[in-house]
Amino acid sequence: MKKQYLTIIMLLCAIHVFAQKNVRIKESFDFDWMFILDDNPAYAQKDFSVTNWTEIQLPHDWSIKLDFDKAAGGSAGFLPGGIGWYRKRFMLPASYKDKKVSVFFDGIFHQSDVYINGHHLGFRPYGFCSIEYDLTPYLKSGEENIIAVRVDRTGDGARWYTGSGIYRHAWLQVVNPVHIETYGTYITTPVVSTEKAEVKITTTLVNSGDQHANVTVSQRILNALGKEVAKSEGKSISLQANTSTDVDQMLSLKNPKLWSVESPEMYSMETTVKTGSKVVDVYSTPFGVRTIRFDKDKGFFLNGEHLKLKGLCLHQDAGSLGTAVPDRADERRLEILKEYGCNAIRCAHNPYSPEFMDMCDRMGFVVIAEAFDKWKSGYYEKYFDEWWQKDLGNMILRDRNHPSVILWSIGNEVQEAWEEPSVSVPRAKMLQDFVHQLEPTRPVTLAAQNNHKEEFAGVTDVIGYNYLEARMLSEKKKYPERICLISEELPYFRGEEGNIRSYTPLNPWNVVAENDFVAGGFIWSGVDYLGEAVGNSRGWPNGLFDICMNEKPRAAYHRAMWNAEPLVSIAVMDVSLDIDHGRDLWQWPKMASHWNFPRSYMGQIMEIRTISNCERVELFFNDKSMGKSKTADFTNNTIVWYLPYIPGKLEAKGYNGDEEVATYTLVTSKQTDKAVLKADVTEIKADGQDLSHISIHLEDEDGNLVQTDDRMLTVSVEGEGKFLGIDNGDLRREKTFAVNELKTYFGKALVVVQSTRKAGKMRVSVRMEGVDEPYVVEVQSKNP
């Protein structure tokens, strides 16, 4: 009997899964596209022949593989834009008859026009929003259909590298005439305790058919294991043809597992729509149960517990991959940042991909979701009046169910902050009121820059100060009711009130940590990025991590401040180090974590810094103790020592009380003897998207890291895989990102390879200058 019962349950589950797959289809539309960097109106026509076009897959950024061109400007990383066209052929199965079929783009940068079988579907100027078009009226059943996309990346652009093209995923979505609208579920938790959560869901139902329908909507909540933990009674409504309506329902969830940065527990709301007894739609919405609160005196609270936001500002590119960032690249980045101690991300200065937001939910980051960089200035100025509501609403509707999102940001350093309050304040209120009406459960913020009008900054629920810690402290006395955070925080120097460029060597994080009312701080920038380049650089080199996600010596300070685990590090100061210094305000004094300097340095007194969260640090110079110093006696938890350069060994030991709790050693290395290759994963999915990141570092014959004897590397890939890019962390590269050879930088490099859609083995060979035989890493791809 028990066996029969289990069989029935399994059968019912199988029927349910089949029903869900059958009634709503969302399939990848990433492959088999053709591309040309050219412009011709004929490219939109169905019968155009794509001779001499290039086959590509999405995500795709055409700019990243072009040659550098000074005329393109530093904002774009000196990478040109232009106008490009994409075309894709596809057939629809007979089962799609009488269904609604739409194409869905997660992001096209920018000024895009989309055509189906020669019919113009629409134009969307903003490059960071999701775009959906209904294909149904123009599709040809039983014959080939052609979708064409024109992307115009000419004229004014963003202040950073955005890439060009269909740089995020695309999808084909198929639903019945009666269905749930895209982003058509809105889940809130008005009552939350450890014993119970009241879960409210508003479902937007659409009847795109020509007949009225009697509809029943029901909900059930599944936990992370897929087990049903709550369900609602069905709610019946009458839905007229070609109309939509909202349906509100409540569910009670007993003993909810709360979402937090330490334990990011997720649930899934499964919404089922029936007409009569027939299931016509099943829609799954991930969500979390948690409470958030900002307090004017105590900062930010998550689930009633105080949480200081240890934040990083990020741009979305990934070095040689450009902005066409496969999901695994973002996941690896977030894994590294999580281990570092970061708990908060500011998405600068635009909505991020849906997959990135899902990762923040799963991995436990809180997020500032930001809609715009500028309003009525810059490249968005000519589009603001017509498009701001559509673009802002797109972000909010898409991201409102993410438990990670704690703030809606409506702008960054907007021109209006300097304008007369009679103009700027109503505009800011207009945007904030729109957000409050659409999604009232989270507060609104904006990031205010130097010399902003204080009336303007006071509009939003939470005020973000960019590099203005001193002004924030002063204004808090004047406006004690204001809620504050540091939306952009310098990594090393601090400005004084009225003089942002005082270059005061007191880390701004101290202000965040020492003042309870400051909700947190977001360092600019967490990771180096392309664009906003000066000199011979291609990007912004002042992050805590380089574009390979190598942690820089300078990053030891925030690692020490953000983690309880005892830490000590060593960095040697030398102004002549070959480091891209970037713009003045965001610099750190040049430092390196090695003990290899030219012979001319012999006997020269060097400044050595030990960064630590330990009570005391003892420094050993060639096994001789140079004494112990108290960390609290020095600024920025950084003890300064002076020693003559003599090759050998530096060792720092950190103590709490009398107990040794941390060590760090630098040894003078010999010349490069070998390269060491390590793949982050050696088994990946054969889905044409998954990645393996192969980290490379140089070692001497004793196994010590070599940072001062860099070598040229050349990469080749055979078998079921393809080469995507090679980086070394130095943004001053001369050759295009398309090349397969590059010299190591400080003894390191990173190779990124991608699977094909066929299972098999990929052989990655790396030849190093001075070594005859190649180094080989094998990566196996398996069917997902």
Side-chain angles (χ1 to χ4, degrees):
M1 185 68 184
K2 183 177 181 182
K3 185 176 180 180
Q4 289 180 325
Y5 177 76
L6 289 173
T7 302
I8 292 170
I9 292 296
M10 291 172 66
L11 179 61
L12 289 173
C13 289
I15 292 171
H16 179 79
V17 170
F18 176 78
Q20 180 171 348
K21 289 182 178 179
N22 205 34
V23 298
R24 173 176 287 267
I25 299 170
K26 185 179 181 182
E27 59 186 38
S28 173
F29 216 48
D30 284 345
F31 297 98
D32 306 317
W33 288 84
M34 303 300 290
F35 171 75
I36 190 169
L37 186 55
D38 187 33
D39 189 28
N40 187 331
Y43 298 159
Q45 300 307 310
K46 183 180 180 182
D47 57 357
F48 183 84
S49 176
V50 292
T51 307
N52 299 322
W53 289 43
T54 303
E55 184 174 348
I56 60 96
Q57 72 177 59
L58 309 181
H60 179 248
D61 170 10
W62 79 66
S63 290
I64 194 63
K65 302 303 182 183
L66 299 180
D67 291 333
F68 296 114
D69 183 353
K70 283 288 185 183
S75 293
F78 305 108
L79 288 165
I83 297 175
W85 280 80
Y86 297 82
R87 285 171 64 94
K88 179 179 169 70
R89 300 172 180 270
F90 64 102
M91 296 275 292
L92 294 180
S95 59
Y96 290 4
K97 190 177 185 297
D98 299 326
K99 306 275 189 179
K100 179 185 177 183
V101 181
S102 60
V103 65
F104 200 91
F105 297 98
D106 285 341
I108 306 174
F109 201 90
H110 64 168
Q111 300 177 141
S112 63
D113 290 274
V114 180
Y115 302 81
I116 182 68
N117 296 328
H119 179 85
H120 185 237
L121 293 171
F123 168 73
R124 195 67 181 255
Y126 199 44
F128 301 110
C129 60
S130 299
I131 307 168
E132 182 179 16
Y133 293 113
D134 184 7
L135 305 179
T136 313
Y138 316 104
L139 292 173
K140 305 297 182 182
S141 179
E143 61 182 87
E144 198 171 58
N145 293 278
I146 303 292
I147 189 164
V149 181
R150 180 182 187 267
V151 184
D152 181 0
R153 229 275 277 148
T154 62
D156 293 337
R159 296 181 297 116
W160 61 93
Y161 179 78
T162 59
S164 307
I166 310 177
Y167 69 101
R168 291 178 182 166
H169 293 301
W171 309 90
L172 196 70
Q173 182 168 275
V174 183
V175 295
N176 285 306
V178 175
H179 60 274
I180 298 168
E181 188 174 58
T182 300
Y183 311 138
T185 54
Y186 178 33
I187 300 170
T188 56
T189 50
V191 177
V192 175
S193 70
T194 55
E195 293 79 28
K196 185 178 72 169
E198 295 296 330
V199 182
K200 179 183 178 182
I201 177 167
T202 299
T203 305
T204 302
L205 289 176
V206 177
N207 182 1
S208 60
D210 55 8
Q211 295 184 3
H212 130 279
N214 293 318
V215 178
T216 303
V217 184
S218 61
Q219 319 280 353
R220 66 176 190 149
I221 298 175
L222 309 177
N223 66 14
L225 299 176
K227 179 183 177 182
E228 181 182 297
V229 291
K231 67 177 181 179
S232 72
E233 296 295 327
K235 189 168 185 177
S236 298
I237 63 165
S238 179
L239 193 57
Q240 298 300 314
N242 297 304
T243 62
S244 64
T245 191
D246 288 343
V247 178
D248 292 334
Q249 290 167 282
M250 295 290 296
L251 295 87
S252 183
L253 179 60
K254 294 181 179 179
N255 303 315
K257 293 184 176 181
L258 302 187
W259 185 94
S260 68
V261 295
E262 297 87 7
S263 181
E265 297 284 348
M266 294 293 294
Y267 291 94
S268 179
M269 180 74 76
E270 187 179 88
T271 305
T272 300
V273 181
K274 293 182 179 180
T275 56
S277 60
K278 180 183 178 182
V279 174
V280 294
D281 201 0
V282 179
Y283 194 99
S284 182
T285 310
F287 74 101
V289 178
R290 53 95 177 111
T291 63
I292 60 170
R293 177 170 64 90
F294 285 86
D295 184 87
K296 64 182 179 64
D297 299 316
K298 296 296 182 181
F300 176 68
F301 290 81
L302 179 63
N303 299 326
E305 297 182 1
H306 182 259
L307 180 69
K308 187 70 79 171
L309 303 180
K310 303 169 183 177
L312 299 174
C313 297
L314 298 180
H315 274 314
Q316 60 184 351
D317 70 87
S320 61
L321 307 184
T323 55
V325 183
D327 299 341
R328 173 57 194 156
D330 275 336
E331 183 179 51
R332 173 178 176 264
R333 172 180 289 194
L334 290 174
E335 287 170 352
I336 292 169
L337 298 182
K338 186 74 173 180
E339 188 280 331
Y340 179 69
C342 171
N343 64 17
I345 302 293
R346 178 176 173 229
C347 297
H349 302 291
N350 50 264
Y352 269 41
S353 73
E355 293 77 19
F356 183 92
M357 304 301 288
D358 289 339
M359 292 174 200
C360 289
D361 287 344
R362 296 195 308 267
M363 298 171 71
F365 291 92
V366 294
V367 174
I368 298 178
E370 193 154 81
F372 305 116
D373 181 43
K374 299 288 182 277
W375 298 339
K376 299 198 75 170
S377 64
Y379 80 98
Y380 196 65
E381 178 179 7
K382 61 183 178 181
Y383 296 121
F384 179 85
D385 288 334
E386 180 181 355
W387 288 97
W388 74 265
Q389 290 190 51
K390 301 181 185 74
D391 294 335
L392 180 56
N394 179 273
M395 178 187 76
I396 292 170
L397 291 178
R398 192 196 73 175
D399 294 338
R400 59 188 175 176
N401 292 316
H402 288 288
S404 56
V405 176
I406 61 169
L407 278 169
W408 301 117
S409 173
I410 55 176
N412 171 71
E413 297 186 351
V414 295
Q415 179 76 24
E416 287 83 348
W418 294 323
E419 296 176 355
E420 286 301 314
S422 60
V423 174
S424 63
V425 169
R427 189 168 298 153
K429 286 183 176 179
M430 176 179 71
L431 270 74
Q432 177 168 256
D433 290 347
F434 177 82
V435 176
H436 283 167
Q437 182 176 7
L438 197 58
E439 207 294 290
T441 71
R442 298 170 178 88
V444 174
T445 189
L446 59 77
Q449 70 273 40
N450 195 31
N451 296 320
H452 67 263
K453 304 282 188 183
E454 59 184 41
E455 302 96 325
F456 175 80
V459 171
T460 53
D461 306 314
V462 177
I463 303 169
Y465 289 87
N466 283 5
Y467 318 120
L468 299 174
E469 295 84 9
R471 178 169 175 178
M472 176 191 67
L473 294 174
S474 176
E475 288 190 348
K476 183 64 176 177
K477 296 175 182 177
K478 186 175 181 180
Y479 303 103
E481 298 302 311
R482 288 186 174 179
I483 299 171
C484 309
L485 58 79
I486 301 299
S487 41
E488 290 183 21
E489 176 189 331
L490 293 174
Y492 183 81
F493 293 111
R494 183 192 305 176
E496 303 296 338
E497 187 168 9
N499 181 17
I500 194 173
R501 280 180 160 79
S502 67
Y503 307 110
T504 305
L506 297 173
N507 200 290
W509 177 256
N510 293 314
V511 175
V512 178
E514 293 166 3
N515 291 274
D516 288 344
F517 74 86
V518 184
F522 293 78
I523 299 162
W524 192 274
S525 63
V527 180
D528 291 350
Y529 58 91
L530 301 178
E532 289 196 87
V534 294
N536 62 345
S537 185
R538 309 302 178 187
W540 188 276
N542 299 117
L544 301 183
F545 291 80
D546 67 24
I547 54 174
C548 301
M549 290 307 296
N550 293 318
E551 186 175 333
K552 300 178 184 179
R554 67 181 65 177
Y557 170 77
H558 289 93
R559 177 179 284 277
M561 296 300 95
W562 288 359
N563 295 278
E565 181 178 351
L567 174 147
V568 64
S569 70
I570 303 174
V572 183
M573 316 304 291
D574 182 6
V575 70
S576 68
L577 286 166
D578 182 27
I579 294 175
D580 187 358
H581 57 70
R583 301 190 185 189
D584 63 325
L585 195 59
W586 294 265
Q587 293 178 22
W588 288 56
K590 289 186 176 181
M591 61 179 71
S593 288
H594 67 69
W595 193 233
N596 279 70
F597 292 92
R599 291 181 62 85
S600 60
Y601 279 45
M602 288 291 291
Q604 178 176 313
I605 299 297
M606 307 286 287
E607 180 182 327
I608 298 162
R609 297 186 178 186
T610 54
I611 303 170
S612 183
N613 55 12
C614 301
E615 295 171 2
R616 293 179 300 153
V617 174
E618 183 176 16
L619 184 65
F620 292 83
F621 181 33
N622 291 332
D623 296 324
K624 178 183 177 182
S625 175
M626 306 306 298
K628 294 181 180 179
S629 294
K630 291 183 178 180
T631 306
D633 291 342
F634 294 80
T635 58
N636 298 331
N637 281 64
T638 303
I639 301 171
V640 180
W641 316 74
Y642 294 95
L643 293 172
Y645 175 64
I646 300 173
K649 183 174 71 173
L650 294 176
E651 183 178 17
K653 296 183 178 181
Y655 298 87
N656 286 334
D658 295 326
E659 182 183 3
E660 179 186 324
V661 292
T663 61
Y664 194 96
T665 303
L666 295 181
V667 176
T668 303
S669 63
K670 302 174 184 177
Q671 288 186 326
T672 297
D673 178 66
K674 59 182 176 292
V676 177
L677 282 63
K678 183 179 181 181
D680 62 340
V681 288
T682 55
E683 186 177 299
I684 60 179
K685 296 186 290 291
D687 59 0
Q689 297 283 5
D690 206 4
L691 305 181
S692 179
H693 297 81
I694 302 172
S695 298
I696 304 172
H697 70 267
L698 307 183
E699 289 185 359
D700 66 12
E701 62 185 14
D702 299 322
N704 298 310
L705 175 65
V706 179
Q707 300 187 52
T708 55
D709 184 22
D710 287 308
R711 301 295 177 89
M712 182 65 72
L713 305 175
T714 303
V715 185
S716 61
V717 177
E718 299 174 331
E720 292 305 327
K722 50 194 171 185
F723 169 80
L724 283 194
I726 180 171
D727 284 305
N728 63 6
D730 186 1
L731 287 166
R732 297 168 297 174
R733 63 193 292 166
E734 296 179 0
K735 294 184 178 180
T736 168
F737 284 106
V739 299
N740 68 331
E741 61 177 17
L742 193 65
K743 201 171 189 178
T744 58
Y745 180 63
F746 281 91
K748 295 182 179 181
L750 178 72
V751 173
V752 184
V753 293
Q754 188 174 50
S755 67
T756 66
R757 288 183 283 171
K758 181 180 177 182
K761 186 178 293 184
M762 179 194 331
R763 180 182 169 92
V764 184
S765 298
V766 178
R767 290 192 174 273
M768 184 177 75
E769 172 190 4
V771 175
D772 293 335
E773 294 298 318
Y775 299 91
V776 176
V777 173
E778 291 186 344
V779 179
Q780 182 72 43
S781 58
K782 296 187 176 182
N783 290 323

